Every structure is written in structure tokens, then in C-alpha cells.
Amino acid sequence: MKTELCALLGIEYPIIQGGMAWVANASLASAVSAAGGLGIIAAGNAPADYVRGEICKVREMTDRPFGVNIMLLSPFAGEIIDLTIEEKVPVVTTGAGMVPAKVMKRWLDAGVKVIPVVPSVAIARMMERNGACAVIAEGGESGGHIGELNTMPLVPQVVDAVKIPVIAAGGIADGRGLAASLMLGAVGVQMGTRFLVAHECTIHRNYKDRVLRAKDIDTVTTGKSLGHPARALRNPFTRAFAENEANPDMTLEEKEAFGAGALRKAVIDGDEKNGSFMAGECAGMVNREQSCAEILAEVTAQAEEVLKGAAKWVR
Ligand code: TUI
């Protein structure tokens, strides 16, 4: 399956791997890119030297295009922006904030394609005006930090509002989700949760097992009262976080501090009690461990199959 996203990025499948902090390292990104998708290295809260090393490893493992995701709230965002320009990274995706126009111009001048993650029409329009080559419209079904809208209403509204290609994200884990996204006017999808259990994904065994065991209702959103809602698998950490949010005796700073480092505890330590096992609502659909190549081939084959089948509805 080829869409205009494939031509835009020089990839074989219209699938971008989510820029999951701590998770999306050179192992995962190179596997996705080598298999024909767009692999993404997540900078998360890491310093530029770490990201430089991961870029180097991806380039050793594949000649195909890849990207770097910049979490704009990171204290190191500035140095990572400089790094992506210096390294002439093919694609940058951004999350958790708005890219300043000046920074966009520097990327464009360096020939870096910029694809911001957007939670609303207004932000999509602004990113288009500043020179984004596409946007990822991410609904609240996603894992991690999320916006207000859900994927089904967000994607077509963004498609109607901008001329640049739109990539759908949030709640997509198989070919049905890809086919549905194309029907909403998107040119491809970003998937995160499905790649958590890829063979090439190096997260702790406990994290993979939680995703594989997850049912439909097993994710929960916390952090709304602090201004940054995030979705993760329900566990003692999310319960304690929600209790803290409702506790009038705790300061905002204390509540924030409680969450610090929780994603690392899940990804690296597999800490079932204190870790934040971020995952999307589609975790309940992710039941098998596969290689990235198998995931990309299976998702696109299923999308083609359901799209062909859809002809029966047309008179
Ligand atoms: O960024 C994500 N998902 C993430 S980031 C993350 S780590 C984190 N650490 C501390 C606080 C928050 C998160 C875990 N998961 N997805 C992309 C995304 N971007 N979701 C929402 C947005 C977004 C929100 C507001 C993009 C632009 C935006 O602009 C408005 C503004 O106020 O800046």
C-alpha cells in the first residue's frame, strides 16, 4: 500500500512509529525504517549526546529515512533542535507544545521535514502556516500526553482545515484503523502501542506483558488537574497519582514531583508498582509479539483487504 505520505517521506508503508520517550531508541527506529515505515528516535527528556548516539546507530543499521521526535517541554529541546539541524535528520516530529516560527524556519532552511503532532485544528493551521510538511492529528485514545479531542472527530476536522497531508494517530493498532484513517482523509497513521511489543522494542519484559494482557478498559487518564493529562495502563501508580490529584493538602509541586521519573521506572525497571506504563486505548488489541517488518506488512495487508471489502457497500 502506497499513499502520498510514502512519496513525501521516501518510505514503503504509510506508517510512522510513535516518538515514545524512553522506548523509541535506535533499535526500534532502525527496525521500523529498515522494514519500510518511518522509524522515530524519541528525544524525550534526554540530552543531545544521547540522541546523537542513537542517530549514529540508526545510520549504521539502515540507509532508509528516519526521524527524531522532540518533546518540546524537555529542558534539552533547544540543544536537540540544534542537533537535528547539524545532523540534517530527514524528519523531525514534535510533541507536547508548539514549535516557534523561528525554529521552523531553521529546520526548513536545513532541509529537515517537520511534522508536528497537533491536538486541534487551530494548532494544525498554525503549524501549516509556519511551514510544516504534514501534521499528525493525535486523538486522546493515544498513550502518553494527550489533548482533548478524540481521533474520529479530530482527523476529518484537521483534514478540512489544512492543505498539507494529515496523519492520524490515537487508537490505531491494526489494518482496520489504518483503513478507517484513510477514509477520514488521512494519508497514513502513526502507531505507538502496537510497536511496544515488537521484537526490536527493548522495553522491560514486564511492560510488554502488561500490554499483551491488557483489556479494552485497562487504560486510564491522569494529570488532567495538573494541565497535562496522560494515558497509561491502570496500576498502583495511576491509582496513587489520581488520589494525589484529589488531595487538597498536597501542593501542585508535590503532585508534579510524584510523577517524575515514573516512565523510566516502567520502561527500564519494569516497576509494576511505581512505573507509568503509558499505552493507548488500543492496548487491548495488541496480543502478539512480532517483528516490526511483520507488523508493517500485516497492518497494510489488512487495510487493503478491508478497503476492498468495503466496495460491497457501494451501489
Ligand atoms: O507528546 C505526546 N505524548 C507524550 S509526551 C510525553 S513526556 C511528558 N513529560 C512531561 C509532561 C508531559 C509529557 C509522553 N507522551 N504526544 C503529542 C502531543 N502533543 N500530545 C498533545 C500535544 C500537544 C499539546 C499542545 C501539541 C501542541 C500543543 O500546543 C499547545 C500548547 O499549549 O503548547
Side-chain angles (χ1 to χ4, degrees):
M1 167 182 283
K2 289 244 183 190
T3 71
E4 64 177 287
L5 183 64
C6 301
L8 177 68
L9 302 179
I11 57 180
E12 303 299 315
Y13 298 113
I15 299 176
I16 299 181
Q17 164 239 314
M20 301 166 283
W22 286 104
V23 175
N25 56 15
S27 172
L28 183 61
S30 64
V32 172
S33 283
L38 189 76
I40 302 281
I41 298 163
N45 275 317
D49 278 346
Y50 163 79
V51 182
R52 192 192 305 278
E54 297 304 292
I55 292 172
C56 202
K57 286 187 223 165
V58 169
R59 285 193 159 135
E60 276 167 19
M61 290 187 273
T62 180
D63 292 333
R64 292 203 166 160
F66 67 96
V68 171
N69 175 265
I70 304 184
M71 212 278 281
L72 291 163
L73 292 172
S74 163
F76 301 108
E79 60 182 67
I80 291 176
I81 290 165
D82 295 345
L83 170 70
T84 54
I85 290 166
E86 190 187 313
E87 288 285 336
K88 295 201 186 306
V89 161
V91 180
V92 162
T93 65
T94 64
M98 237 128 57
V99 186
K102 269 190 187 158
V103 173
M104 281 291 259
K105 186 170 180 317
R106 287 177 59 212
W107 273 322
L108 299 182
D109 290 346
V112 175
K113 294 190 177 87
V114 188
I115 311 184
V117 174
V118 298
S120 70
V121 163
I123 295 173
R125 281 210 177 103
M126 217 175 303
M127 293 299 116
E128 176 181 49
R129 207 176 316 129
N130 290 349
C133 73
V135 287
I136 300 167
E138 188 188 88
E141 297 92 326
S142 298
H145 175 53
I146 51 176
E148 293 281 342
L149 291 172
N150 288 104
T151 304
M152 182 80 100
L154 175 65
V155 172
Q157 292 186 78
V158 172
V159 166
D160 286 346
V162 299
K163 293 195 179 67
I164 52 176
V166 177
I167 297 141
I172 302 158
D174 67 9
R176 294 169 298 182
L178 170 55
S181 300
L182 298 177
M183 294 299 93
L184 295 176
V187 297
V189 295
Q190 175 182 272
M191 297 196 306
T193 304
R194 176 105 186 227
F195 286 114
L196 286 174
V197 300
H199 294 318
E200 299 90 343
C201 181
T202 57
I203 60 175
H204 197 282
R205 185 69 241 166
N206 294 350
Y207 203 144
K208 292 193 179 191
D209 287 341
R210 277 298 324 258
V211 174
L212 292 166
R213 280 203 318 270
K215 297 191 303 293
D216 55 350
I217 56 169
D218 285 351
T219 70
V220 64
T221 309
T222 55
K224 207 166 177 185
S225 68
L226 306 176
H228 48 78
R231 182 180 300 284
L233 292 165
R234 223 183 274 280
N235 71 346
F237 169 78
T238 60
R239 273 189 289 278
F241 200 100
E243 274 168 29
N244 288 350
E245 276 189 86
N247 182 350
D249 298 327
M250 273 178 90
T251 66
L252 267 169
E253 290 72 25
E254 285 168 336
K255 293 176 187 181
E256 294 276 6
F258 182 77
L263 181 58
R264 183 190 187 284
K265 287 177 196 158
V267 175
I268 308 294
D269 308 332
D271 184 340
E272 308 259 12
K273 185 161 174 272
N274 304 302
S276 173
F277 291 78
M278 290 180 171
E281 285 183 352
C282 57
M285 299 161 65
V286 177
N287 306 315
R288 268 175 313 135
E289 293 178 70
Q290 291 169 299
S291 68
C292 291
E294 286 167 340
I295 292 171
L296 295 173
E298 187 177 288
V299 169
T300 48
Q302 189 190 17
E304 285 178 9
E305 198 179 310
V306 299
L307 287 169
K308 274 187 207 147
K312 75 180 179 206
W313 301 112
V314 183
R315 268 194 296 139

